Amino acid sequence: MIAVLKHELKTYFHSLATYVFGALLLAFVGIGSVLYNIQAAVSNFEFVLSFGSLIFVIIVPILTMRVLAEERKQKTDQLLYSLPITASQVILGKYIALLLIYLIPLSLICFYPLIFSRFGEVYLLTAYGSILAFFVMGSALISIGVFISSLTENQGFAAGIGIAIILFNYYSVRISEYVSSTAIGSVIAMLLLILVLGTIIRYLTKNNYLAYGVSGLLGAGILIVYLVDSTKLEGLLPAIMRKLSLFERFNAFVNGVFDMTAIVYYLTVIVFFLFLSVQSLEKRRYN
Amino acid sequence: MISVEHLTKCYGDIVAVDDVSFKIDEGHVYGFLGPNGAGKTTIMNIMTGCLSATEGRVLIGGYDIFEEPCQAKKLIGYLPEQPPLYMTDTPLEYLKFVGEAKGLGGSELKEQIDKVIEQTKIENVKNRPISSLSKGYKQRVGIAQALLGNPKVIILDEPTVGLDPIQIVEIRDLIKELGREHTVIFSSHILSEVQAICDQVLIISKGKLVAFDQPENLEKLLLAPNEIIITTDARDKEIRDILAKINHIVDFTIKEEGAYTKAQIKTDHKDVYEVSRQIFLGFAEKNKTLLEMALKKTDLEDIFIELTEKSNSNEATESEGIKQ
């Protein structure tokens, strides 16, 4: 794992994408600080991070698109398979390297509240609390990017899908206000989601019975709930969209609350997508 | 050292490897021979843990490659068909990464890297980016990577493809040299190559192992008769008369070329010289001159064609049988 980590770090420093990632993050947070902290003279640094989080839509896919797609394209994944290391070690090594790359611009950002505190009163505790949350949320998005990169050998495709998914996640709360909140609407949406889940299971396991079984059970469950008590499903879809949004949960930190459930949620997302990435890497040996 | 048992690999309905079993001992050079698409790469990928098998198992030094992959993989160095190189690295950085991933460290890693760089002769390019190296050097870096960690078995998939003749000779020499310390398994579709460097040959066709023996034994195995080619100033009819008196002649063709006549004689006698002696005496008796006599021994190429075609025709009759 250490070997993979060291090698990845070295590769990142040779790669333009890393510098673009760092530069865009710093630029966006910098513009935010100018607008909020300097021009508007607001003493909360959290607002800056809330503003800056939009840039994740672009920079996370830029950073993560090559992480596994490139290995597959250059056939270097064969080397990784033949070395005495496990798929989990490969994914963890690569993921930690990505986090270290992400920490570099973030550690520069850590100085901003200190600088501003010299010129007025800044709530350092909430500022650093939200920087920590900003780091964890970014890490969750990076883990999603890693998983998307593991699905394809085309970097552009990985980046495109990554941008689409993160953008949808960013706007999902706003979109949720327009989607149907009736029970039947929720049922249809849930069935579609179950279908997507079934497709992913089938792609990862190549096991038709498992995919059909899981989708069938979940689908039947939804239908039974609908038939027994359809009021329970009212407003379910918008609620799910709000719950799944990584960005929405960050707002708690912006409002000055250190929300442990949000942190736990982010960590769950990280573990889930890293697990999927390991499975995706393992699966390629079975096709 | 390596034991492959009933290995089968299917891609959907296509059977890429069909019930292949063999054992490989320590300290020899083994050659996988087969036409393109025969399943050589698939077998090697399974043996090195890059691919799963549908059925069967592979034991490397007693470790099952699927059950205890890490222990098994420590005993193997693998160079896939396309060398798995990181183009932005220099060979030195690349070897350092592979060495560390193989669990080497400190002075041991440094010693090993120096040793493989010397063995594969990449000293003068070790600080240049891999992307700028020629194909021959890339191949060497790939082999160097396989040698790190001093594995007992080295598996090379078509290591000489796409190299120029001088590089091919160099790589072959390297393989021979490696054969002294390691068990080397390499695949090729070039017969002369296998004949030149292997102690044992495995011929694979359509996913099946059709032969496994020493190159010399495989030649003996062959049922096809040996050929004697003569050039003489005797005429067609005279040659027929002489040959009619000699036993063990299966078939012959006669072709007159101006003042001379050429004849191709096929024999199934175990000792070809015995037949050629009789031919010589037969011509002498009739007072005719033999201007030239050449023996054409069947080589690995003929065996290869015969074995692979045999499995083709078997398949053809099988499928015809199904149709009926």
Side-chain angles (χ1 to χ4, degrees), chain B residues 32-134:
Chain B
F32 270 44
L33 192 60
N36 289 322
K40 305 186 293 281
T41 301
T42 311
I43 294 177
M44 288 190 156
N45 274 341
I46 296 173
M47 281 165 68
T48 50
C50 293
L51 205 63
S52 69
T54 313
E55 260 171 66
R57 61 177 194 163
V58 177
L59 295 176
I60 314 260
Y63 298 109
D64 190 316
I65 191 82
F66 306 122
E67 306 287 329
E68 300 157 291
C70 282
Q71 280 100 325
K73 284 174 188 173
K74 273 189 184 153
L75 300 172
I76 312 176
Y78 180 40
L79 173 70
E81 207 166 350
Q82 186 183 340
L85 307 171
Y86 292 100
M87 291 301 163
T88 50
D89 287 358
T90 66
L92 206 58
E93 288 169 343
Y94 175 70
L95 292 175
K96 218 168 157 186
F97 161 61
V98 176
E100 282 174 0
K102 287 187 178 182
L104 302 172
S107 60
E108 197 193 359
L109 178 64
K110 219 167 252 167
E111 268 169 38
Q112 287 261 346
I113 290 179
D114 287 343
K115 192 182 153 202
V116 298
I117 283 180
E118 197 202 310
Q119 266 180 309
T120 51
K121 303 191 183 74
I122 50 173
E123 177 68 37
N124 51 344
V125 297
K126 68 178 182 184
N127 288 317
R128 277 167 47 184
I130 291 179
S131 56
S132 72
L133 300 183
S134 70

Side-chain angles (χ1 to χ4, degrees), chain B residues 263-276:
Chain B
Q264 264 186 322
I265 304 157
K266 285 188 179 168
T267 167
D268 61 355
H269 199 288
K270 272 182 195 158
D271 186 0
V272 191
Y273 291 134
E274 182 51 40
V275 181
S276 58

